[in-house]
Amino acid sequence: MISISIIGSGNVAQHLIKAIVKSDQLELVQVFARNPETISHLISSDQITSEIAALKEAHLFIISVSDDAIQSVSNSLIFTDKLVAHTSGSVSMEDLNDSNRKAVLYPLQTLSKKKEVDFTTVPICIEAQNQADFQLLTEVANRLSDHVYNVNSDQRKSLHVAAVFVSNFTNHLYKIGNDICTEHEVPFEILKPLINETAKKIQTLAPTDAQTGPAKRNDSTTINKHLAILTDENQKEIYKILTKSIIDHGKKL
């Protein structure tokens, strides 16, 4: 049984808590939360502490806080020579304090508190300073997910950028689409089958092969009609940038 303590109580931390509790091969020793009530619905009160100095012994300590807080939290740990991993996609493993053994356990998924996720489907990218710690981290990751990858800090940062494009930016485009529908009094639900089919296509096609639309065809008549419909200047600019990117990519092929 591998014992784990989590430092943090946000989106990623809460999904990790649920996944660890479900595993019969992992033991959740403790969770540090500045506001214990944020996770009181997930675990018993005797597993929660609001004092960093009160953290009990564990095989692995996972720091799951905002990127800009990882270093300060790492520096605040009073113990030494323990295995400490953070969960960030964009923070280097080396940013952790040298007093402890460093590692990364990065779940590459969009995680929201109100949306349940089957954690066994979540890709987990891992990194550690030495082979023994890497082996332990591998065991933990394999008990949480069916998809575990050995990814170094530079690769992970690149993955994080790619993830922002395919998830965060894409979701913002959904928001823009919703705004346009609202402005013209048509239900956004009409677009959901299109959204689902677009996501399904890249399971079997390369993104280049899955691309359709007026920019792909370099259909300037339709593009200009779309720009005339858009009343928001930011929307127009985004439309122009993405259209140019698609057209320019087609020219390179």
Side-chain angles (χ1 to χ4, degrees):
M1 185 77 75
I2 300 175
S3 58
I4 302 171
S5 284
I6 295 176
I7 302 166
S9 59
N11 289 351
V12 175
Q14 292 197 21
H15 282 278
L16 276 172
I17 289 169
K18 294 175 186 177
I20 293 169
V21 168
K22 285 180 181 178
S23 173
D24 57 4
Q25 297 174 307
L26 301 174
E27 176 192 4
L28 183 65
V29 176
Q30 209 171 17
V31 177
F32 167 80
R34 287 192 173 89
N35 300 309
E37 63 273 10
T38 60
I39 55 171
S40 59
H41 62 294
L42 297 176
I43 52 176
S44 62
S45 59
D46 60 352
Q47 290 177 286
I48 305 172
T49 180
S50 58
E51 299 293 333
I52 201 80
L55 285 169
K56 300 174 183 177
E57 183 72 20
H59 291 115
L60 171 64
F61 294 86
I62 301 176
I63 297 176
S64 186
V65 297
S66 62
D67 288 1
D68 57 3
I70 289 173
Q71 195 167 53
S72 62
V73 169
S74 174
N75 292 339
S76 72
L77 300 176
I78 63 171
F79 47 74
T80 60
D81 198 32
K82 304 298 181 185
L83 181 56
V84 177
H86 71 64
T87 60
S88 171
S90 61
V91 175
S92 171
M93 179 175 68
E94 296 307 319
D95 285 3
L96 293 169
N97 191 283
D98 292 333
S99 297
N100 288 291
R101 305 184 327 265
K102 306 176 185 181
V104 177
L105 190 148
Y106 168 50
L108 204 171
Q109 184 55 277
T110 174
L111 299 171
S112 301
K113 293 173 187 175
K114 295 182 179 179
K115 175 68 170 63
E116 290 297 324
V117 170
D118 179 2
F119 215 85
T120 63
T121 68
V122 176
I124 297 181
C125 303
I126 59 174
E127 180 182 13
Q129 283 183 308
N130 63 64
Q131 188 57 38
D133 289 338
F134 183 81
Q135 182 58 42
L136 186 143
L137 206 63
T138 300
E139 290 183 36
V140 171
N142 280 328
R143 292 169 187 180
L144 294 173
S145 172
D146 297 331
H147 308 277
V148 178
Y149 299 88
N150 177 8
V151 176
N152 65 38
S153 286
D154 288 340
Q155 291 171 322
R156 181 165 35 81
K157 289 175 184 177
S158 298
L159 265 176
H160 193 256
V161 174
V164 167
F165 271 95
V166 303
S167 178
N168 305 138
F169 288 171
T170 300
N171 189 74
H172 184 65
L173 294 179
Y174 295 156
K175 192 267 183 188
I176 291 174
N178 186 73
D179 290 345
I180 293 168
C181 286
T182 300
E183 180 183 355
H184 295 275
E185 298 181 344
V186 292
F188 180 68
E189 284 69 21
I190 296 175
L191 293 176
K192 289 183 178 179
L194 174 63
I195 292 170
N196 290 335
E197 180 59 23
T198 302
K200 286 178 183 177
K201 278 204 296 185
I202 61 166
Q203 303 300 320
T204 55
L205 296 176
T208 296
D209 296 330
Q211 187 69 58
T212 60
K216 169 73 172 180
R217 304 188 302 270
N218 201 1
D219 180 353
S220 58
T221 300
T222 300
I223 290 168
N224 289 330
K225 286 179 180 179
H226 287 173
L227 289 170
I229 289 170
L230 296 173
T231 58
D232 184 286
E233 289 303 317
N234 286 331
Q235 291 176 4
K236 282 189 177 183
E237 191 63 27
I238 291 169
Y239 187 102
K240 289 177 182 178
I241 290 170
L242 291 176
T243 295
K244 183 178 185 301
S245 181
I246 294 170
I247 291 172
D248 287 349
H249 176 73
K251 290 176 180 177
K252 294 175 184 176
L253 297 178

